[in-house]
Amino acid sequence: MNGRDRTRAVLAGTGEVVFAPLAWSRLPQFVHASVPGEFWLDTGVTQRLLTDAGDVCAADALAVPLLPGLRAGAATAPAGPVGNSDEVAGLPEVLATTALIGRLAAAGTTGQIAELPTLGQLAGLLPGATAEDTEDALSDLARACLEAGADAIAVRGADHSDVASTVDAVAALADYYGAPALGVDGQRGWAARESVPVGLLGQTGDWPALARGLILTGGDITSWWTPAKTRAVLRQRGEAG
């Protein structure tokens, strides 16, 4: 079984444990590539970078943020604000990252977890939008990545309430596509309706005790560790097992 097979088995309620790290913000530097600026706008380049990082991390699944510029601490932000909620799914970074998910799905070697912005982050991108319009934009993003081939969707942020309300808002749509909706607030990870056990690996490198399910990372490992440190953390996983 390859990583995507293992990921799908876990999401279906069988299998053991799969590792799905977020490796993104310093992705080119992490794999010693010279790619300036918004690397994610070049789908082919990003696929190669992310695949290389996945090899370093022994990742079963790869996380792909749909709007990288809205992530906390991101160096760049989407050109905006956006005038209409209907326009969010057509932003260049969304088109590029959903195309990336499609390419990874077609390659079929790793699972894909698409990371959505929180409702609070989207509200900042859509000043003056109603709560309903913001939720519509969120649904458009979720639908785009699920139709591209994502195996799960995740919402990541520092504000637990914002993350939890966003997961709740998108859970029914994820169910329709047969995918779990996951939340990560930096302190813990969870799945809507507890559909799959979720453990969180933090910067200290202590592996969660999990017999079955998904191990996500509490943050972006490219801002935490070097490849050498990452390999050392992976060896600790083997010792913990």
Side-chain angles (χ1 to χ4, degrees), residues 100-179:
L100 172 63
I101 290 169
R103 286 194 180 199
L104 293 169
T109 55
T110 57
Q112 295 85 50
I113 298 179
E115 293 202 352
L116 305 176
T118 67
L119 286 168
Q121 290 168 334
L122 277 176
L125 186 64
L126 294 164
T130 65
E132 182 179 1
D133 286 342
T134 304
E135 288 195 13
D136 285 346
L138 177 70
S139 296
D140 288 344
L141 290 174
R143 189 175 295 106
C145 66
L146 289 165
E147 291 183 351
D151 300 296
I153 56 177
V155 180
R156 183 184 297 269
D159 184 329
H160 174 79
S161 178
D162 190 20
V163 173
S165 62
T166 307
V167 171
D168 290 344
V170 80
L173 179 61
D175 283 346
Y176 176 79
Y177 283 90

Side-chain angles (χ1 to χ4, degrees), residues 55-78:
D55 290 341
V56 171
C57 302
D60 300 293
L62 299 167
V64 177
L66 257 66
L67 275 166
L70 283 187
R71 296 174 55 250
T76 58

Side-chain angles (χ1 to χ4, degrees), residues 29-125:
Q29 297 93 324
F30 186 77
V31 296
H32 303 292
S34 178
V35 183
E38 298 174 330
F39 61 86
W40 54 82
L41 293 177
D42 188 324
T43 302
V45 166
T46 308
Q47 182 181 8
R48 292 193 295 274
L49 297 176
L50 197 58
T51 299
D52 288 347
D55 290 341
V56 171
C57 302
D60 300 293
L62 299 167
V64 177
L66 257 66
L67 275 166
L70 283 187
R71 296 174 55 250
T76 58
V82 177
N84 191 306
S85 60
D86 293 340
E87 299 172 7
V88 173
L91 290 171
E93 49 265 67
V94 176
L95 296 177
T97 50
T98 51
L100 172 63
I101 290 169
R103 286 194 180 199
L104 293 169
T109 55
T110 57
Q112 295 85 50
I113 298 179
E115 293 202 352
L116 305 176
T118 67
L119 286 168
Q121 290 168 334
L122 277 176
L125 186 64

